[in-house]
Amino acid sequence: MKLNQTLRTQILDEHGRIYLQTTTDERKKLDEEVKTFKSLRLASHEIVKKMCYEVFGDQDLATLRKFGLTTTRSNFNAETTFNVEQDEDTYIEGIRETIRVKKPYYHNWKNETISFDLNDSYIACLYFDQFLKDNQNPFVMCVREDTQNFDKERTYYRKVGETNSYIYMDDKFVERNNIESNKNPFALEIPDARHEKLRFKVRDLGEHNTLCEFSTQKNIMYQALRKYCKKFYEVQTIMREYLKTCKTTDDVKKVWEDFNPSILKPNMGTSVALNTVIMMSQLKSFHADRLANA
C-alpha cells in the first residue's frame, strides 16, 4: 500500500499506542515510584491521623460537629517535639572524649504542609493508565521540552488545555488540588479553626522521616514520568522522521515486523525516500526487544 501524509499520521499514532502498551524500563520505573508513593501515603496518613486525634478525641469532635464547628482538611501544619541522640565532643581532665547526648530536633511544617492533595502532574503519574483509557495524553503534564517539542507550540498548549479540562471534569480525581477536601479520601475531620492555630505535633523521628519521604516522593514520581515522556517522544520522533522516507507499508515493515496495514484507511499519495540507516536500526531494535519480551 502506498503512503501519503494521512496514512503516515495514522501509522505514527498506532506506533505510539503500541509503545505505551510495551513494558519499557521507563514504564517499570514509573510504576515502581508510584507504588512507593502509595505506600508512603498510607503510612503518612496513619501518622497524621494519630497526630490529629491525640489532640481531639471522638467525643470532642462529636460535640463540635453538632454545632457545625468541624471542617475537613487534607493538608496539615505540624512541628516536631522530640529529642535525637547525637555525638558530641567533650573534654574530661584535658582528654577529648565523644559522648552521646540528646538534643531537641526542630522542623516546622508550616512552610511546606503535610499535604494529601495532588497537583496535575502527580495526578498524571498516579492515573497514567486511566488517562490512556480515556484517550488522554498524560505526558502533556510534563514540561514541553520533555516532549522534544514534538508538537507545534499552539498544538501543545491546546492539548494541555484539553487535559486540564479532563482532570477537572466531574471531580474525576478527588485527590487533586482545588477540590473540596471532604471528597479527598485522605482528608480528616478536625475542629474548624484557622489552619495555623492548630498545633499538631510529630513526636517521633521515624515518623518525621516517613512524612519527609512522602513529601519528597511526589517529585521523584514526577521525575520518573518525565523520563518516560522523554523516551517516548524520542522514539516517536525517530519514527516520524523515518516515515517521511517510506513510500509503502513494506518500508514500514522493515523496522516494524508485526505492523498490520489493516489499521489504515487507504488514501493514495507519494513521498520522497531519504537515507535512514540509523533510524531504521533504532526502530528495529525497539520492536525486536518488544517482540522478544512479549
Side-chain angles (χ1 to χ4, degrees):
M1 182 189 299
K2 289 185 178 180
L3 300 180
N4 61 12
Q5 186 55 42
T6 300
L7 295 181
R8 291 188 183 91
T9 299
Q10 291 179 32
I11 294 171
L12 185 63
D13 290 344
E14 178 67 7
H15 186 264
R17 189 183 68 80
I18 292 295
Y19 185 91
L20 292 174
Q21 291 178 348
T22 305
T23 308
T24 62
D25 289 341
E26 291 77 17
R27 178 57 199 262
K28 289 179 183 177
K29 183 64 174 174
L30 175 61
D31 290 345
E32 289 172 4
E33 299 302 349
V34 168
K35 182 178 180 181
T36 299
F37 167 78
K38 288 181 177 180
S39 176
L40 286 168
R41 180 169 63 172
L42 286 173
S44 297
H45 192 243
E46 290 302 312
I47 293 169
V48 172
K49 275 201 297 186
K50 182 176 71 173
M51 180 179 74
C52 291
Y53 296 146
E54 72 177 4
V55 178
F56 308 105
D58 292 340
Q59 188 172 353
D60 296 328
L61 286 173
T63 301
L64 292 170
R65 190 184 305 120
K66 185 186 300 184
F67 296 98
L69 297 176
T70 64
T71 188
T72 305
R73 289 195 182 276
S74 51
N75 53 83
F76 306 86
N77 290 326
E79 292 181 353
T80 58
T81 61
F82 52 83
N83 296 327
V84 293
E85 288 190 349
Q86 64 184 53
D87 292 334
E88 186 173 281
D89 290 336
T90 187
Y91 289 86
I92 301 176
E93 296 181 354
I95 300 174
R96 189 178 72 174
E97 292 188 13
T98 300
I99 60 174
R100 299 285 288 177
V101 297
K102 288 187 175 181
K103 290 196 171 183
Y105 184 91
Y106 182 76
H107 179 91
N108 191 339
W109 288 88
K110 184 175 181 179
N111 295 326
E112 180 186 3
T113 60
I114 304 167
S115 177
F116 296 97
D117 295 331
L118 299 177
N119 66 24
D120 298 347
S121 300
Y122 304 149
I123 289 289
C125 297
L126 206 60
Y127 293 98
F128 190 90
D129 288 327
Q130 184 65 47
F131 273 59
L132 299 182
K133 181 180 178 181
D134 293 338
N135 295 316
Q136 297 293 325
N137 183 357
F139 291 137
V140 300
M141 291 295 99
C142 300
V143 297
R144 184 164 180 256
E145 289 72 16
D146 293 339
T147 70
Q148 317 288 317
N149 295 325
F150 189 80
D151 292 316
K152 293 180 179 179
E153 186 173 4
R154 178 180 294 181
T155 302
Y156 170 78
Y157 285 110
R158 175 179 57 78
K159 290 180 178 180
V160 170
E162 291 172 353
T163 304
N164 278 328
S165 297
Y166 162 75
I167 291 174
Y168 285 84
M169 177 184 64
D170 301 327
D171 297 340
K172 193 177 188 69
F173 304 106
V174 292
E175 302 105 313
R176 65 171 171 77
N177 291 337
N178 302 319
I179 194 170
E180 292 181 32
S181 292
N182 58 8
K183 295 183 179 180
N184 188 331
F186 294 93
L188 297 172
E189 184 184 23
I190 60 175
D192 190 6
R194 290 185 62 188
H195 197 34
E196 64 271 17
K197 297 294 184 182
L198 298 174
R199 295 292 182 179
F200 296 126
K201 306 293 184 182
V202 182
R203 304 186 184 279
D204 179 276
L205 179 60
E207 292 181 347
H208 172 73
N209 289 340
T210 297
L211 294 173
C212 289
E213 289 174 19
F214 167 61
S215 180
T216 302
Q217 184 62 26
K218 295 176 185 177
N219 187 56
I220 293 175
M221 179 173 65
Y222 174 56
Q223 294 307 317
L225 178 70
R226 291 187 62 190
K227 288 182 180 179
Y228 190 16
C229 173
K230 290 175 183 177
K231 188 63 179 180
F232 171 78
Y233 281 106
E234 177 186 320
V235 173
Q236 283 296 87
T237 298
I238 292 171
M239 178 54 108
R240 181 168 64 182
E241 293 305 307
Y242 176 65
L243 286 172
K244 291 178 183 178
T245 74
C246 295
K247 291 183 177 180
T248 68
T249 52
D250 288 338
D251 294 328
V252 178
K253 286 189 174 184
K254 290 177 182 178
V255 298
W256 185 355
E257 292 180 19
D258 60 341
F259 171 67
N260 182 7
S262 65
I263 66 165
L264 303 177
K265 297 178 180 179
N267 187 4
M268 303 302 286
T270 60
S271 64
V272 179
L274 302 173
N275 182 6
T276 59
V277 175
I278 296 177
M279 290 188 292
M280 289 177 64
S281 174
Q282 290 177 292
L283 293 168
K284 277 185 176 180
S285 177
F286 163 68
H287 287 289
D289 290 342
R290 178 178 62 81
L291 292 171
N293 294 319

